[in-house]
């Protein structure tokens, strides 16, 4: 097996591209990221490791803009992310220049996925070690979308998804609890999902909300408030579960 | 911008992959310069040689119901009329038309290339390309060939999600959005009639008649225009050819010969 993971252009005898699979491992070690799509809003949430005391937290934004109407969050190698994001931003502007229209979410996702695939089929390079969650609104139809790409270069659209550390548990939670929501309800669902695997508190998660008007990063106080709401709801639900048997 | 040979390529080169990874922007095309004492003057001469070839009249205008596109059908080589039946309105796809003025081969090839690009855009993005986008694609290609002797003066007319669209694109790299355009050696004459008779809220029949009359008047005065006046209409369901009338016949329709009283008749002189 060791002989087949040197150069990525080589398939193993049982059909694996080991470098791509190792890249997926790198993603699994990255911080958790979750995306939830609502009817008029898309929410991205990312786990934030507690910042070192002297670090300026404003310089480590994990949810970034690709264009006015498209945002991206990722899990994996952050340095690779910077390169991919820069190329995607250039492509967004290049598209505006050549066809005088903003990109659709699907188009830029296809571009990023295509870029990730290119690096799995060339000599002397390694794949990008990140999976991305891309959200945005279609500039023509105004429909919100959530897409995910991974190091192999595949992409697909999702109603809600998670990537990075503990993404399986988050996805299970979302599958159990997802329903069509809008506005603040969607934000709550995203934060609830993230809080399944992350310590509670505005300090440990970064949340951004994409509406037709654009991207808005929630500040710590807002996130704390919503987290508190969620806690209260949880307690009320547990109390309700315990109460009825007593009344009998 | 790289020279666009996508219409000519048969298969992508296998070894090209590594370089694609590192370049964000391609270098400008370079080519060998001819050995002359005055290159600038030589270039200007070369351009002048091609310029007068825009012997034609084409026009297009947007009105309430859509876009009306009309053109003549004469091809001339200097003073020789080489054809009276050239198709100067090119069907890019079922909802977009292009007009031809300048070099016939250049217009035909690049319009067909544009049709290919529009179809690829549809397949990749699951939606039709807008008239804005299509005209921009063509303008960018023509700009990258600027100074190399292409002669194209075209109008891209179509109907997309935002309604009727009309753009003028030429081989100098210019691209203009507008409501009324006329291109070619007969365009001054066509503009005269078109600008005089134009109203935004015309019916399709009135607009077609205006277009036809404008072409006719241009062919009447301009020697390089003639043949058949074709009129196309672009509406929400795509384009439709309305009429194609011989301008000679149109002349007698607009200015029928009136029988007049005879003053004197010539009679045979009785044998001298």
């Amino acid at each position: 097996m060791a002989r087949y993971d040197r150069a990525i252009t080589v398939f193993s005898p049982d059909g694996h591209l080991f470098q791509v699979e190792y890249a997926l491992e790198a993603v699994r070690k990255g911080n958790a990221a979750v995306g939830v799509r609502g009817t008029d809003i898309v929410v991205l949430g990312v786990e934030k490791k507690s910042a070192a005391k002297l670090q300026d937290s404003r310089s480590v934004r994990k949810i970034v803009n690709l264009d006015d109407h498209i945002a991206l969050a990722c899990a994996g190698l952050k340095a690779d992310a910077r390169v991919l994001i820069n190329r995607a931003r250039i492509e967004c502007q290049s598209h505006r220049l050549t066809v005088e229209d903003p990109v659709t979410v699907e188009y830029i996702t296809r571009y990023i996925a295509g870029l990730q695939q290119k690096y799995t089929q060339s000599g002397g390079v390694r794949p990008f070690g990140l999976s991305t969650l891309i959200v945005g609104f279609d500039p023509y139809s105004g429909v919100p979308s959530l897409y995910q790409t991974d190091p192999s270069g595949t992409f697909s659209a999702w109603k809600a998804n998670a990537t990075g550390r503990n993404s399986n548990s988050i996805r299970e939670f979302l599958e159990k609890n997802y329903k069509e929501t809008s506005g603040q309800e969607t934000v709550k669902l995203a934060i609830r999902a993230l809080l399944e695997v992350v310590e509670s508190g505005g300090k440990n998660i970064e949340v951004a909300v994409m509406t037709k008007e654009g991207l808005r990063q929630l500040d710590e106080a807002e996130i704390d408030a919503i987290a508190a709401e969620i806690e209260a709801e949880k307690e009320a639900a547990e109390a309700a579960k315990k109460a009825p048997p007593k009344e009998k | 911008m790289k020279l666009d040979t996508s219409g000519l390529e048969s298969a992508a080169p296998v070894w090209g992959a590594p370089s694609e990874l590192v370049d964000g922007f391609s270098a400008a095309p370079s080519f060998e310069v001819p050995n002359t004492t005055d290159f600038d003057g030589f270039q200007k001469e070369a351009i002048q040689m091609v310029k007068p070839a825009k012997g034609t009249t084409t026009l297009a205008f947007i009105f309430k119901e859509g876009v009306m596109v009309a053109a003549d059908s004469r091809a001339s080589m200097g003073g020789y009329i080489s054809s009276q039946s050239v198709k100067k309105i090119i069907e890019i796809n079922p909802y977009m038309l292009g007009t031809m003025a300048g070099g016939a081969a250049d217009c035909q090839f690049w319009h067909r290339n544009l049709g290919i690009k529009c179809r690829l855009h549809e397949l990749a993005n699951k939606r039709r390309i807008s008239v804005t986008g299509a005209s921009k694609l063509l303008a960018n290609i023509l700009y990258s060939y600027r100074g190399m002797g292409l002669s194209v003066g075209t109008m891209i007319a179509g109907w997309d999600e935002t309604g009727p669209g009309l753009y003028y694109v030429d081989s100098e790299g210019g691209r203009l959005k507008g409501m009324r355009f006329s291109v070619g050696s007969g365009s001054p004459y066509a503009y005269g009639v078109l600008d005089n008779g134009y109203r935004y809220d015309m019916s399709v029949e009135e607009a077609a008649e205006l277009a036809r009359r404008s072409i006719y008047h241009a062919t009447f005065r301009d020697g390089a225009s003639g043949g058949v006046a074709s009129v196309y209409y672009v509406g929400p369901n795509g384009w439709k050819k309305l009429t194609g009338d011989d301008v000679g016949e149109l002349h007698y329709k607009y200015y029928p010969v009136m029988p007049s009283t005879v003053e004197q008749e010539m009679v045979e002189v009785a044998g001298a």
Side-chain angles (χ1 to χ4, degrees), chain B residues 100-234:
Chain B
M100 180 201 295
D106 288 340
C107 290
Q108 274 178 3
F109 178 85
W110 288 111
H111 276 124
R112 228 164 122 77
N113 185 279
L114 180 63
I116 293 172
K117 286 208 157 58
C118 291
R119 179 63 183 143
L120 289 174
H121 179 102
E122 265 180 41
L123 287 170
N125 296 289
K126 294 182 215 160
R127 64 183 307 127
R128 283 184 178 167
I129 193 171
S130 60
V131 184
T132 313
S135 60
K136 193 94 187 227
L137 285 179
L138 182 63
N140 287 340
I141 293 169
L142 293 179
Y143 180 78
S144 65
Y145 285 89
R146 198 174 130 88
M148 298 192 207
L150 282 187
S151 170
V152 172
T154 182
M155 294 177 283
I156 305 290
W159 187 292
D160 60 30
E161 274 173 5
T162 59
L166 177 61
Y167 285 83
Y168 164 75
V169 178
D170 70 20
S171 45
E172 311 299 294
R175 174 174 167 270
L176 299 169
K177 182 174 158 82
M179 297 286 276
R180 300 202 292 279
F181 286 112
S182 176
V183 182
S185 55
S187 63
Y189 312 112
Y191 269 130
V193 178
L194 178 59
D195 290 341
N196 184 46
Y198 176 84
R199 276 174 307 113
Y200 179 73
D201 31 51
M202 286 186 280
S203 67
V204 176
E205 292 77 30
E206 289 175 320
E209 183 51 30
L210 178 64
R212 201 175 310 122
R213 254 187 330 119
S214 309
I215 295 287
Y216 157 74
H217 279 103
T219 61
F220 187 66
R221 289 290 174 183
D222 176 33
S225 304
V228 169
S230 316
V231 179
Y232 281 67
Y233 164 66
V234 189

Side-chain angles (χ1 to χ4, degrees), chain A residues 87 90 95-101 104 106-107 110 115 118-119 121-123 125 138 140-141, chain B residues 17-18 20-23 25 121 124-127 129-130 132-134 136-137 140 161 167 175:
Chain A
R87 298 275 273 274
I90 291 175
H95 187 272
R96 277 183 188 259
L97 183 60
T98 49
V99 292
E100 285 189 6
D101 260 329
T104 57
E106 200 254 344
Y107 178 92
R110 214 171 347 115
L115 210 48
K118 227 184 272 195
Y119 281 71
Q121 211 177 6
S122 307
V125 294
D138 187 308
Y140 314 99
S141 58
Chain B
E20 278 176 39
L21 294 175
V22 292
D23 76 343
F25 302 97
H121 179 102
N125 296 289
K126 294 182 215 160
R127 64 183 307 127
I129 193 171
S130 60
T132 313
K136 193 94 187 227
L137 285 179
N140 287 340
E161 274 173 5
Y167 285 83
R175 174 174 167 270

Side-chain angles (χ1 to χ4, degrees), chain A:
Chain A
M1 198 161 96
R3 256 181 279 147
Y4 299 105
D5 57 16
R6 285 269 136 179
I8 52 152
T9 48
V10 183
F11 272 111
S12 72
D14 53 348
H16 290 271
L17 286 172
F18 279 117
Q19 280 300 304
V20 175
E21 293 182 11
Y22 297 163
L24 281 158
E25 267 306 307
V27 169
R28 261 173 243 133
K29 295 211 166 21
N31 48 251
V34 73
V36 181
R37 185 186 82 193
T39 52
D40 59 350
I41 191 177
V42 213
V43 183
L44 280 174
V46 179
E47 169 194 6
K48 221 174 18 176
K49 272 176 278 248
S50 45
K53 286 217 179 93
L54 297 172
Q55 192 179 61
D56 186 346
S57 55
R58 283 172 305 172
S59 68
V60 268
R61 279 260 163 267
K62 298 213 170 148
I63 302 173
V64 294
N65 255 330
L66 292 184
D67 201 340
D68 294 330
H69 59 301
I70 309 220
L72 175 148
C74 55
L77 271 51
K78 286 292 177 277
D80 288 1
R82 222 179 38 240
V83 171
L84 208 53
I85 289 168
N86 281 336
R87 298 275 273 274
R89 283 173 171 164
I90 291 175
E91 180 61 23
C92 286
Q93 295 311 308
S94 178
H95 187 272
R96 277 183 188 259
L97 183 60
T98 49
V99 292
E100 285 189 6
D101 260 329
V103 294
T104 57
V105 192
E106 200 254 344
Y107 178 92
I108 197 65
T109 308
R110 214 171 347 115
Y111 175 80
I112 291 175
L115 210 48
Q116 285 181 292
Q117 191 280 342
K118 227 184 272 195
Y119 281 71
T120 67
Q121 211 177 6
S122 307
V125 294
R126 63 163 175 80
F128 287 99
L130 66 145
S131 292
T132 67
L133 286 172
I134 300 165
V135 301
F137 278 81
D138 187 308
Y140 314 99
S141 58
V143 168
S145 325
L146 165 66
Y147 282 86
Q148 191 213 25
T149 73
D150 62 29
S152 63
T154 54
F155 72 94
S156 46
W158 293 76
K159 294 184 197 159
N161 200 1
T163 178
R165 211 200 322 260
N166 299 318
S167 55
N168 284 328
S169 6
I170 305 181
R171 208 172 299 121
E172 257 179 60
F173 175 84
L174 286 169
E175 280 177 14
K176 258 192 259 170
N177 294 289
Y178 179 83
K179 52 183 194 312
E180 284 284 315
T181 51
S182 66
Q184 198 65 348
E185 281 304 307
T186 319
V187 184
K188 254 202 240 170
L189 182 56
I191 295 182
R192 267 171 67 203
L194 204 45
L195 288 177
E196 290 283 306
V197 301
V198 173
E199 273 173 48
S200 177
K203 277 204 310 297
N204 300 317
I205 51 179
E206 190 178 311
V207 179
V209 154
M210 174 69 86
T211 57
K212 274 210 183 90
E213 281 75 53
L215 186 70
R216 190 172 69 89
Q217 307 264 8
L218 268 55
D219 55 25
E220 249 185 69
E222 269 185 272
I223 301 174
D224 278 332
I226 299 176
E229 253 185 76
I230 292 170
E231 268 306 303
E233 278 174 14
K234 247 201 241 173
E235 282 170 13
E238 281 184 21
K241 258 194 263 166
K242 286 186 195 148
K246 276 190 188 166
E247 280 177 10
K248 274 193 191 159

